[in-house]
């Protein structure tokens, strides 16, 4: 089985978000970039397939040279090869088109992407990619079992879970649940050394257009101070929720 | 040219978010000088959409679509958009809809913007405001394609009545076996309880509750308020609560009217998931807990003392205001 894991290079989850250039750009100053958490669960599941069932695992990202430390980390975790499409990831549609091209050229059976990236939260890359490629697609995937080309997957739904059956070739939008949090791997020294020898192929983008443009960004308005109520005065809390906030 | 809205239903009845997206679609249609057409699947009370400004309903009545299937539903919505010459397609932000919308986007080669929180800011260029960076920011995004898909955030726009009469038509898209290569085997869903996605009130517990045996009071409080229950990430990692209840940047987003956080510190990744909630109440023993900075109301106190009292007082309040 040949697996491609799509990796988005995103600000670390604790990053403070700021904008520059008259609020038209995300301010990367002092921001640490990491593998998108949803992708990290997928990468770990891919490593499980590699170790338990035998699979080749490639990782791909769409981004400039600045994203290489992030994909090197995926190599250090155990992916065999990496592909970087040398383009600014302008919108989800554009990224999906570029990754679909990588999938076409690489002949992958399984493509694992994250449900969404935690920066622009588009959540559209796996679905658009699957549709362009006419591959089966399961979103918000929290469990994935593969036997030959038969697939059993569980996806999260509002208020529960749904079990699905399908077949390879398949694209999933994965998330927490695909593997246990405790199984996520931190690259060790040996992995980091080995990653240096692994192939990181840089390919040029295909001709594709973004379909949306972020014109301007803005931060939420600052919040007023919290109103504290004494633990002995629950009536006051109820009164505030009823008369002031009007939510009960 | 019309505005097409996908109105979700379950067991033949529209979900609450169907009325919200219909209200939103009406606003867009006003802006563009056109009317709203809805597409529904096996719904029995289609006329009701007229209350929210829908002029025409295309009802897909098809047994193979009784349970949700992303590809088949996306196929039907695409066909409806083409038939109606829709320039704008409006969808909700439920988990199912976020599954099918990218498929529609690829089929129609239409720009799709999810997590939209206001009506379009301008029609030309077509610009919407959406959340980004896990609710730590907003983006004003232009959709530059001929057809545009807008995913409306839960509870962001609200439900607005615009009484019209909805003409209901049967619509039979050409669904084939190729649309069912992914099949539903089993659905395991809590019935009769509010889900985090649609709930107006969410009661959430964190590691401060010490163990799963203490969730009885969280559930009781949720019961009194008709609320959904939720939790912080470590709570689901520890297996105290199901993964589906985990709220935050890597979990579910919450856009309720009221979010009550009990024994939750308010780490940045947790707050990212709840900041679209309108009113936040925090109960925590630690006055320095970061959640107090993000909350509207707070009680510094022990959950094991405060919550049972709160349940009693709320019961009294409900009895008086029933
Ligand atoms: C990549 C990444 C992604 C993450 N994503 C998420 C996410 O999506 N959602 C999420 O929730 N977290 C997420 N986290 C984890 C997050 O950083 C915090 O660890 C987590 O939110 C803490 O949960 P907690 O507040 O329940 O527990 P704790 O941090 O242990 O806090 C417990 C709180 O309970 C209070 N308390 C203790 N006893 C009582 C009592 N008797 N009565 C009242 N209060 C009491 C304490 O004062 C404390 O504030 C993520 C972390 C990482 C690294």
């Amino acid at each position: 089985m040949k697996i491609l894991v799509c990796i988005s290079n995103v600000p670390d989850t604790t990053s403070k978000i700021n904008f520059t250039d008259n609020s038209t750009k995300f301010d990367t100053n002092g921001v640490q970039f990491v593998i998108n958490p949803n992708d990290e669960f997928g990468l770990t599941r891919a490593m499980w397939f590699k170790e338990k069932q035998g699979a080749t695992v490639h990782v791909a990202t769409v981004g400039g040279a600045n994203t290489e430390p992030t994909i090197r980390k995926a190599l250090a975790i155990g992916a065999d090869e990496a592909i970087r499409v040398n383009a600014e990831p302008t919108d989800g549609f554009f990224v999906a088109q570029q990754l679909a091209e990588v999938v076409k050229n690489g002949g992958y059976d399984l493509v694992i992407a994250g449900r969404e990236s935690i920066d622009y939260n588009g959540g559209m890359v796996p679905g658009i990619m699957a549709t362009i490629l006419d591959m089966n697609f399961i979103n918000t995937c929290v469990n994935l079992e593969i036997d030959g080309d038969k697939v059993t997957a569980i996806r999260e739904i509002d208020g529960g879970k749904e079990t699905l059956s399908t077949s390879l070739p398949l694209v999933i939008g994965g998330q927490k649940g695909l593997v246990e949090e405790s199984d996520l791997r931190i690259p060790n020294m040996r992995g980091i050394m080995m990653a240096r020898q692994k192939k990181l192929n840089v390919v040029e983008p295909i001709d594709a257009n973004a379909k949306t443009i972020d014109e301007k960004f803005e931060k939420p308005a600052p919040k007023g101070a919290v109103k504290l109520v004494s633990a002995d005065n629950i009536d006051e809390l109820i009164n505030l929720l009823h008369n002031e906030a009007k939510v009960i | 040219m019309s505005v097409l809205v996908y109105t979700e239903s379950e067991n033949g009845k529209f979900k609450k978010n169907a009325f919200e997206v219909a209200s939103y679609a009406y606003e867009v249609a006003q802006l563009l000088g056109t009317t709203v057409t809805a597409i529904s699947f096996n719904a029995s009370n289609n006329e009701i959409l007229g209350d929210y400004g829908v002029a025409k309903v295309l009802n897909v009545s098809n047994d193979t679509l009784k349970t949700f299937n992303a590809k088949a539903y996306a196929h039907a919505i695409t066909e409806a958009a083409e038939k109606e010459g829709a320039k704008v397609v409006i969808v909700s932000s439920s988990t199912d809809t976020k599954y099918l919308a990218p498929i529609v986007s690829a089929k129609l080669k239409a720009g799709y913007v999810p997590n939209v929180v206001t009506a379009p800011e301008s029609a030309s260029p077509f610009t919407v405001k959406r959340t980004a960076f896990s609710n730590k920011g907003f983006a004003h995004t232009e959709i530059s394609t001929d057809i545009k898909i807008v995913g409306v955030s839960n509870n962001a726009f609200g439900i607005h009545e615009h009484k019209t009469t909805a003409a209901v038509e049967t619509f039979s898209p050409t669904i084939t076996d190729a649309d069912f290569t992914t099949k539903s085997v089993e659905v395991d869903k809590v019935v009769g309880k509010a889900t985090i996605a649609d709930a107006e009130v969410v009661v959430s517990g964190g590691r401060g509750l010490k163990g799963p045996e203490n969730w009885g009071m969280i559930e009781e409080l949720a019961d009194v308020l008709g609320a959904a229950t939720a939790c912080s990430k470590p709570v689901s990692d520890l297996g105290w609560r199901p993964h589906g209840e985990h709220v935050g940047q890597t979990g579910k987003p919450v856009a309720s009217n009221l979010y009550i956080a009990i024994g939750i510190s308010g780490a940045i990744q947790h707050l990212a998931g709840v900041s679209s909630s309108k009113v936040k109440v925090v109960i925590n023993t630690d006055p320095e807990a970061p959640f107090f900075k993000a909350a509207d109301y707070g009680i510094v106190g022990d959950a094991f003392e405060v919550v049972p009292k709160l349940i009693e007082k709320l019961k009294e309040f409900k009895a008086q205001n029933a």
Side-chain angles (χ1 to χ4, degrees):
Chain A
M1 183 162 58
K2 207 170 161 192
I3 306 176
L4 182 72
V5 183
C6 305
I7 303 277
S8 180
N9 175 58
V10 299
D12 164 46
T13 62
T14 57
S15 301
K16 294 259 187 309
I17 302 299
N18 289 300
F19 303 105
T20 58
D21 292 16
N22 200 18
S23 293
T24 57
K25 283 204 176 66
F26 172 62
D27 184 358
T28 56
N29 230 318
V31 171
Q32 169 97 27
F33 281 82
V34 297
I35 299 175
N36 181 42
N38 290 313
D39 308 348
E40 204 178 346
F41 287 104
L43 176 64
T44 311
R45 189 65 192 165
M47 297 317 303
W48 185 93
F49 284 120
K50 177 178 159 161
E51 286 156 16
K52 296 281 184 335
Q53 295 186 194
T56 312
V57 178
H58 291 179
V59 293
T61 197
V62 179
N66 59 308
T67 64
E68 288 192 3
T70 301
I71 35 179
R72 284 264 178 231
K73 186 178 164 198
L75 290 173
I77 286 172
D80 301 302
E81 251 180 60
I83 300 140
R84 175 170 72 80
V85 181
N86 187 27
E88 269 315 300
T90 40
D91 82 336
F93 211 113
F94 174 83
V95 170
Q97 285 171 294
Q98 299 303 336
L99 291 172
E101 189 66 16
V102 171
V103 176
K104 248 186 239 165
N105 295 333
Y108 297 96
D109 309 292
L110 173 66
V111 181
I112 303 181
R115 168 193 80 187
E116 68 174 19
S117 62
I118 61 164
D119 49 3
Y120 296 95
N121 310 103
M124 62 187 89
V125 169
I128 293 176
M129 192 173 30
T131 308
I132 293 175
L133 293 162
D134 198 20
M135 284 166 80
N136 291 323
F137 168 48
I138 293 174
N139 206 17
T140 55
C141 189
V142 292
N143 195 291
L144 182 65
E145 305 289 343
I146 295 173
D147 180 8
D149 74 340
K150 300 237 171 321
V151 177
T152 308
I154 301 179
R155 75 168 179 116
E156 201 166 282
I157 56 176
D158 290 335
K161 285 178 179 170
E162 179 181 29
T163 306
L164 299 154
S165 73
T166 188
S167 57
L168 298 179
L170 170 73
V171 177
I172 68 158
Q175 61 179 56
K176 183 191 148 191
L178 268 180
V179 294
E180 289 302 322
E181 175 102 9
S182 53
D183 290 336
L184 293 179
R185 299 166 190 204
I186 298 159
N188 57 24
M189 204 26 112
R190 185 160 167 270
I192 295 168
M193 297 307 287
M194 278 171 58
R196 290 194 187 150
Q197 317 297 325
K198 290 181 182 171
K199 258 208 225 156
L200 196 166
N201 309 294
V202 179
V203 300
E204 290 309 312
I206 55 163
D207 198 15
N209 281 328
K211 305 206 182 300
T212 62
I213 306 145
D214 290 327
E215 300 283 1
K216 221 173 168 71
F217 296 99
E218 160 193 341
K219 293 219 276 183
K223 254 204 65 37
V226 59
K227 268 195 192 165
L228 287 179
V229 176
S230 149
D232 309 320
N233 197 359
I234 305 281
D235 286 323
E236 175 62 7
L237 179 66
I238 291 176
N239 173 38
L240 287 166
L241 293 178
H242 182 61
N243 292 315
E244 188 177 82
K246 300 193 175 11
V247 286
I248 60 168
Chain B
M1 184 189 110
S2 75
V3 172
L4 182 74
V5 59
Y6 163 48
T7 46
E8 269 175 287
S9 58
E10 197 166 34
N11 302 323
K13 291 196 92 145
F14 288 110
K15 292 193 188 172
K16 197 186 91 194
N17 72 29
F19 307 132
E20 185 169 27
V21 288
S23 308
Y24 189 96
Y26 178 81
E27 182 100 358
V28 177
Q30 291 292 102
L31 188 70
L32 302 177
T34 180
T35 57
V36 180
T37 301
I39 175 168
S40 67
F41 292 84
N42 298 310
S44 52
N45 55 338
N46 288 290
E47 290 76 14
I48 194 173
L49 294 175
D51 291 355
Y52 306 95
V54 173
K56 179 158 105 183
V57 185
L58 301 175
N59 182 43
V60 182
S61 169
N62 182 331
D63 277 352
T64 63
L65 301 175
K66 277 246 154 79
T67 48
F68 175 81
N69 180 293
K71 199 171 168 189
Y73 274 47
H75 180 118
I77 294 167
T78 305
E79 221 173 283
E82 282 164 350
K83 170 174 137 60
E84 292 294 303
K87 290 290 175 218
V88 184
V89 179
I90 310 291
V91 298
S92 79
S93 54
S94 72
T95 302
D96 284 354
T97 302
K98 284 195 163 174
Y99 187 179
L100 67 80
I103 305 177
V104 178
S105 159
K107 283 172 178 278
L108 292 172
K109 299 191 170 41
Y112 161 48
V113 177
N115 310 319
V116 169
V117 291
T118 60
E121 299 179 313
S122 81
S124 170
F126 193 91
T127 312
V128 286
K129 180 176 174 179
R130 63 167 176 130
T131 59
F133 297 97
S134 303
N135 286 315
K136 289 184 262 182
F138 294 102
H140 299 267
T141 305
E142 179 190 331
I143 310 181
S144 51
T145 45
D146 182 35
I147 304 175
K148 299 149 179 80
I149 307 178
V150 176
V152 184
S153 261
N154 282 352
N155 290 326
F157 187 74
I159 294 173
H160 307 279
E161 287 202 359
H162 302 282
K163 295 256 184 213
T164 37
T165 308
V168 181
E169 276 178 27
T170 303
F171 176 54
S172 311
T174 52
I175 305 288
T176 64
D177 286 351
D179 293 309
F180 294 97
T181 50
T182 297
K183 285 196 178 66
S184 178
V185 178
E186 192 189 345
V187 173
D188 177 9
K189 194 169 170 175
V190 191
V191 282
K193 261 197 168 179
T195 66
I196 296 173
D198 339 291
E200 303 209 345
V201 182
V202 173
V203 178
S204 191
R207 196 149 55 179
L209 286 167
K210 316 274 192 280
E213 66 281 6
N214 298 323
W215 244 261
M217 63 181 188
I218 299 290
E219 285 180 331
E220 194 178 349
L221 178 58
D223 258 1
V224 178
L225 290 164
T229 53
C231 67
S232 66
K233 181 164 168 287
V235 165
S236 70
D237 288 344
L238 289 161
W240 298 355
R241 299 296 294 177
H243 280 310
E245 284 198 7
H246 147 214
V247 155
Q249 189 170 39
T250 52
K252 283 230 156 60
V254 175
S256 56
N257 287 331
L258 173 61
Y259 184 80
I260 306 183
I262 302 164
I264 300 177
S265 59
I268 190 165
Q269 299 94 345
H270 186 86
L271 293 179
V274 301
S275 52
S276 323
S277 284
K278 297 204 175 77
V279 175
K280 299 172 210 73
V281 175
V282 170
I283 300 168
N284 197 307
T285 41
D286 175 11
E288 302 297 323
F291 219 138
F292 284 113
K293 291 207 174 66
D296 300 280
Y297 303 104
I299 292 184
V300 178
D302 187 338
F304 297 96
E305 288 162 24
V306 176
V307 177
K309 272 200 266 174
L310 181 58
I311 293 169
E312 282 320 303
K313 294 282 186 189
L314 275 170
K315 280 185 180 161
E316 284 169 27
F317 169 81
K318 291 270 159 178
Q320 281 161 18
N321 291 272

